[in-house]
Amino acid sequence: MEFFHKTVLLKETLLALNLKQGGVYFDGTVGGAGLACKIAESIGKEGKLIALDIDPDAVRTSRKRLSKFGNSEVFEANFTEMSNVCGQVLGKFLGCVDGVVLDLGVSSYQIDNAERGFSYTKDSKLDMRMSQYGKSAWDLVNILGKFELANIIRVLGEEPFANAIAKAICRERVSGGIDSTIRLVNIIERVVGYRGGGHPAKKTFQALRIAVNRELENLNKALDEAIELLKPAGRIAVISFHSLEDRIVKQKIRQWNIPCTCPQNFPICVCKKKSKAITITKKPITPSWEEIIENPRSRSAKLRVCEKI
Ligand SMILES: C[S@@+](CC[C@H](N)C(=O)[O-])C[C@H]1O[C@@H](n2cnc3c(N)ncnc32)[C@H](O)[C@@H]1O
């Protein structure tokens, strides 16, 4: 299957990064290299783009697509490893890049490739691992206890029927494991039914995907690394696709802006922590109607940007 992904908020993200000829940039979610190719083109031969993805299919594709620019290196790694990867390439671990971009979530290729098990409309084995290593959705659905499963579905999927779904999964898996996406979808459909608020399995699938890939833990860790990796006046741009991710990005940028940890009732700051960054986007940038019509998968996207002091 050909690797297809239409980059969301492309123009807005390129503008936000304030790209400079000869600059050094880091793309932690290179995917099909839609954004990365534009960065590589803009920074010229003297520039450097370090890119990575956790998915071997994305790494293979983006290496091919970026090779013509002669200024890019692509690694198969988790973006929580960005300091190590940049250290290997640049010989420095801190203050060494002009911009970091994270375009979170899954690519269209991952969703549309039935074998990967991300889609609730295509039948396949229950997988959902972006890296293709480690525990899969099958392990969570067939091994976790009822309360742990319900907690994942409630918290990461914001699914009000989490308890009932977890109970039904645990009941059904007794008679042979739940091996396929469609078997899981059928169980969820029987519990939730069609209520006009999107596909009944959407929230549970989102929850399982986030849990399998440890998406929230990874994002937290990556943002802590990203701010240290930036040069002064360097920028971080993050595109998120659901409220849990956006909340982490928003809180992290706020913490960098106002780092004071003194209790609220202290009349003056005694912790003396200094701001690390200023906010560039007070409100997140969202796709235009034209973009949403052309690419409905962009509709929940939010871009937040900050600049290192
Ligand atoms: C929305 S796509 C990126 C699309 C890309 N910006 C483009 O323009 O083609 C998200 C990508 O991030 C990757 N990804 C998600 N979590 C990751 C992580 N922790 N480390 C590295 N890559 C990750 C996924 O495998 C996927 O390829």
Side-chain angles (χ1 to χ4, degrees):
M1 183 178 157
E2 214 214 319
F3 197 112
F4 177 77
H5 177 81
K6 181 139 185 63
T7 309
V8 168
L9 290 170
L10 177 60
K11 271 193 262 143
E12 294 83 348
T13 308
L14 291 169
L15 259 177
L17 283 170
N18 221 358
L19 297 170
K20 294 187 294 215
Q21 280 267 335
V24 181
Y25 291 86
F26 174 82
D27 181 345
T29 52
V30 68
L35 189 54
C37 283
K38 293 287 182 197
I39 298 174
E41 194 181 357
S42 308
I43 61 179
K45 281 262 183 280
E46 295 73 40
K48 183 93 198 158
L49 172 66
I50 303 164
L52 52 89
D53 204 289
I54 202 168
D55 185 331
D57 292 349
V59 171
R60 250 190 317 274
T61 304
S62 55
R63 269 192 191 137
K64 258 190 233 146
R65 293 182 181 170
L66 284 163
S67 61
K68 64 177 179 221
F69 299 103
N71 58 5
S72 310
E73 288 187 55
V74 184
F75 298 86
E76 184 181 330
N78 194 308
F79 54 49
T80 56
E81 295 297 318
M82 68 174 86
S83 297
N84 284 337
V85 173
C86 289
Q88 259 180 52
V89 178
L90 304 168
K92 274 187 175 178
F93 295 86
L94 300 171
C96 52
V97 305
D98 295 291
V100 170
V101 63
L102 298 175
D103 177 9
L104 301 169
V106 276
S107 63
S108 295
Y109 167 82
Q110 288 166 324
I111 300 172
D112 296 337
N113 187 343
E115 285 166 28
R116 304 295 299 270
F118 288 103
S119 171
Y120 43 77
T121 58
K122 296 186 168 78
D123 198 13
S124 85
K125 63 183 190 321
L126 267 173
D127 191 325
M128 302 197 196
R129 294 169 302 172
M130 294 187 200
S131 65
Q132 304 179 23
Y133 290 107
K135 288 201 172 121
S136 66
W138 187 96
D139 295 292
L140 302 194
V141 166
N142 289 286
I143 295 171
L144 285 187
K146 186 169 73 186
F147 295 111
E148 212 178 335
L149 200 49
N151 198 41
I152 287 175
I153 300 171
R154 184 182 322 104
V155 177
L156 302 182
E158 301 176 289
E159 169 58 89
F161 296 96
N163 285 343
I165 294 170
K167 199 169 157 195
I169 289 173
C170 293
R171 191 177 55 235
E172 295 274 338
R173 73 189 184 189
V174 174
S175 51
I178 300 170
D179 283 331
S180 75
T181 49
I182 293 302
R183 171 120 196 264
L184 179 60
V185 168
N186 290 338
I187 295 168
I188 301 168
E189 272 174 350
R190 283 200 292 277
V191 176
V192 179
Y194 281 81
R195 292 162 194 262
H199 193 286
K202 186 174 171 195
K203 291 178 173 169
T204 304
F205 269 58
Q206 173 185 299
L208 291 171
R209 194 200 85 205
I210 295 174
V212 165
N213 296 289
R214 306 177 66 82
E215 291 178 33
L216 304 184
E217 296 93 312
N218 288 342
L219 176 58
N220 251 309
K221 187 153 184 275
L223 291 172
D224 288 338
E225 297 225 345
I227 192 76
E228 303 303 331
L229 209 56
L230 281 186
K231 296 179 188 170
R235 288 195 172 183
I236 300 179
V238 186
I239 305 167
S240 64
F241 288 86
H242 56 76
S243 56
L244 300 170
E245 284 173 343
D246 182 54
R247 198 175 307 149
I248 291 175
V249 180
K250 185 172 146 187
Q251 281 172 357
K252 213 44 117 178
I253 295 180
R254 186 182 298 155
Q255 226 175 67
W256 293 332
N257 262 275
I258 310 163
C260 175
T261 49
C262 296
Q264 282 199 338
N265 60 351
F266 274 31
I268 54 163
C269 168
V270 292
C271 75
K272 302 280 185 240
K273 291 197 173 139
K274 292 224 168 72
S275 299
K276 290 186 175 179
I278 51 165
T279 310
I280 300 295
T281 47
K282 295 270 183 278
K283 288 234 164 83
I285 297 172
T286 52
S288 63
W289 279 111
E290 288 87 343
E291 178 167 3
I292 295 173
I293 289 163
E294 198 197 330
N295 178 14
R297 282 180 182 165
S298 70
R299 68 185 168 275
S300 58
K302 286 191 175 145
L303 167 65
R304 290 190 188 266
V305 186
C306 70
E307 185 173 296
K308 179 135 176 207
I309 292 173

